Amino acid sequence: MSYTEIMLISSIKVIVVVLAVLTGCAYSTWLERKLVGHFQHRIGPNVAGPFGLLQPIADAIKLVFKEDIVPNNVERITYALAPIVVFIPALLSFAVVPFGDKVTMFGYQIDMVISDLDIGVLFVFAVTSLGVYGIVLAGWSSGSKYSLLGGVRSSAQMISYEVAYGLSIIGVLVIAGTLSMKELVAQQSSFFDWFIFRQPVGFVLYVICAIAETNRAPFDLPEAESELVAGYHTEYSSMRFAMFFIGEYANMLAVSCVATTIFLGGWQGPLLPPIIWFAIKVALFMSFYIWLRATLPRLRYDQLMNFGWKVLFPLALLNVMVTALIYRL
Amino acid sequence: MLLELVIFYVAAVFAIGAALLMILQRNPVASVLYLIVSLLAQATLYIQLSAMFVGAILVIVYAGAILVLFLFVIMLLNLRGEQFEEKRPRLGRATKMVISLALLVELLMIVKQTAFPERMDRLMVEATPDFGSVKPVAELLYTQYLYPFELTSILLLVAIVGAVIMAKRGRTDHDEEDK
């Protein structure tokens, strides 16, 4: 393949993935409202389109046309920057996720991954660790007490859980001996080779920490509405608010995709085409997220910190040690 | 290739420009933000040198963790630019000059040792295809540089214990009972 062809194919891949992720975010909000509705014995959105399927579009139009209110004592530049900073890192992590096997299209061998980096897993952790800045800056620049408290809580929470988050997948890496996402999927070719079976503790730790990292219930203290109004995005309205909203869902999708790739065998599965299997697994993981939100009450702040440092962190270290002893000795 | 050259110059300009802006700022939050930009640009440069691992770790450790703590502290103390106007540090002008000069000399000496293209041919080592990725770096760290590597970790541990002790010393017994 020539240089131009490679550039062209990569650009198309990027555009397709970005569009897919945005659509995924929109329909995750639909899924969430629908599922939470049923969990609470309601029907959920059902007016716009069949099964309320046009609801995300209605929401988007509403948010675009709302007035963008900027309070007086905000730090203008950081205030405008914060929603973008939440959104971009979430999108970046999709660059290394393999959505399927090689396919032949128009005579080209196309890998269903934008870029198969040697350090794929590290790349995901590097970009997702930047997402916290958006929240911190939003909290700081809004010039509001609620926002500031939300921002402070969020930075403390994310730093605390990031340690266990990183350690939770070390077990998988010790077994696999690679950091490439594609290689990880290849090592889970049969059902019982999935890393969820070889690393059950690692998987549980990963899920708990990932929920904390994405600020979702029961770890949604940065936006605890009963105490902080809406936390870090209290002062945001219209499209800027929508960007936080999309950013949150993009982050959840990214976590689901990474979990699917690392623990649930990636795109592998019988009969159905790979991309469908991938979508099913991601959708199940997202539903799990929503199920937790509908079921569990929010943690208290000191419980959150104690749980992170005194339970998850030692457990993650122990898991790494045991895995290393079993597999590498 | 042209694209690589463009990326290099953009990253280099950002790395140096953001570093300059960082020290020319009165607003501490803006300083931290410029430092992050500079770090990301540096990570790009590392990756261009195919030091993938170093680039990723730079982002994870510095941009992803340490600078979040910086911001956290600045936010907790609610520092804004104005507050720095009154409090001048105690170091005299002369001391600062001497320290800066010493640092400059040190930097120049390091630059002088760097292999520039005209002297490169005798220093050139053929890079292996997986140069800079995790495995070769890990192999070097755990064989040739094992002792310095482990000593650094002990140093960091001592620093952590020290910080905890310093933080605890100011507290009275009454505080302990409250917990």
Side-chain angles (χ1 to χ4, degrees), chain A:
Chain A
M1 270 192 282
S2 77
Y3 186 66
T4 3
E5 278 171 330
I6 294 174
M7 290 296 283
L8 194 70
I9 291 174
S10 299
S11 314
I12 293 171
K13 278 194 218 168
V14 170
I15 293 168
V16 169
V17 168
V18 168
L19 288 179
V21 169
L22 289 179
T23 319
C25 290
Y27 278 93
S28 304
T29 66
W30 174 81
L31 185 72
E32 168 141 39
R33 294 176 66 174
K34 208 70 185 165
L35 281 182
V36 170
H38 283 293
F39 280 125
Q40 298 169 345
H41 285 269
R42 294 183 286 113
I43 302 172
N46 66 340
V47 178
F51 307 106
L53 272 172
L54 298 180
Q55 189 65 41
I57 298 165
D59 285 344
I61 293 171
K62 184 194 89 168
L63 280 166
V64 169
F65 282 102
K66 274 202 160 183
E67 187 187 354
D68 181 26
I69 301 165
V70 180
N72 274 332
N73 53 346
V74 299
E75 306 267 330
R76 299 246 162 209
I77 301 171
T78 25
Y79 178 83
L81 205 66
I84 305 169
V85 176
V86 169
F87 187 58
I88 302 274
L91 269 186
L92 275 177
S93 49
F94 288 98
V96 292
V97 174
F99 297 99
D101 207 359
K102 273 196 174 79
V103 285
T104 315
M105 237 187 269
F106 310 114
Y108 292 114
Q109 280 264 317
I110 295 174
D111 243 341
M112 295 285 272
V113 51
I114 294 178
S115 169
D116 177 44
L117 290 178
D118 276 349
I119 52 154
V121 178
L122 275 183
F123 176 83
V124 170
F125 278 80
V127 292
T128 48
S129 68
L130 296 177
V132 63
Y133 286 112
I135 294 172
V136 172
L137 291 177
W140 178 80
S141 65
S142 291
S144 144
K145 289 185 182 63
Y146 296 124
S147 301
L148 186 67
L149 277 172
V152 169
R153 274 188 183 184
S154 161
S155 48
Q157 176 177 333
M158 288 174 102
I159 296 166
S160 303
Y161 277 73
E162 196 146 290
V163 185
Y165 188 46
L167 282 172
S168 69
I169 55 149
I170 301 281
V172 172
L173 303 182
V174 167
I175 299 174
T178 177
L179 285 165
S180 150
M181 301 281 259
K182 214 167 122 187
E183 196 46 41
L184 280 174
V185 176
Q187 293 195 8
Q188 306 177 71
S189 47
S190 76
F191 184 66
F192 286 103
D193 279 346
W194 287 13
F195 282 114
I196 185 175
F197 300 119
R198 291 193 270 177
Q199 274 289 305
V201 183
F203 179 68
V204 173
L205 286 170
Y206 177 84
V207 172
I208 295 175
C209 294
I211 294 167
E213 286 284 308
T214 43
N215 291 321
R216 288 281 302 183
F219 301 106
D220 57 346
L221 288 107
E223 42 183 312
E225 55 274 84
S226 47
E227 336 159 19
L228 294 181
V229 190
Y232 58 88
H233 56 58
T234 305
E235 305 296 338
Y236 283 87
S237 51
S238 183
M239 268 320 278
R240 297 187 208 263
F241 168 74
M243 283 194 77
F244 276 118
F245 207 65
I246 304 170
E248 183 178 324
Y249 282 90
N251 268 317
M252 285 162 67
L253 271 180
V255 162
S256 305
C257 288
V258 172
T260 303
T261 308
I262 297 182
F263 288 103
L264 303 176
W267 45 263
Q268 312 213 49
L271 299 172
L272 297 170
I275 188 91
I276 303 287
W277 269 113
F278 191 82
I280 291 174
K281 288 171 187 173
V282 170
L284 282 177
F285 202 91
M286 290 294 284
S287 310
F288 180 67
Y289 249 118
I290 296 161
W291 180 18
L292 282 185
R293 182 208 145 167
T295 311
L296 297 175
R298 187 178 298 131
L299 267 78
R300 218 172 53 215
Y301 198 71
D302 56 324
Q303 293 173 331
L304 174 97
M305 282 299 160
N306 279 339
F307 184 59
W309 286 110
K310 293 181 183 166
V311 179
L312 292 181
F313 178 53
L315 205 60
L317 274 181
L318 197 71
N319 183 43
V320 173
M321 262 170 65
V322 171
T323 312
L325 284 178
I326 293 175
Y327 280 89
R328 289 281 173 236
L329 215 62

Side-chain angles (χ1 to χ4, degrees), chain B residues 102-122:
Chain B
L103 272 175
L104 183 70
V105 169
E106 198 179 357
L107 268 178
L108 285 177
M109 278 163 69
I110 294 171
V111 171
K112 210 164 170 277
Q113 284 176 12
T114 315
F116 283 110
E118 58 265 26
R119 296 192 284 152
M120 201 77 132
D121 34 335
R122 64 190 168 88

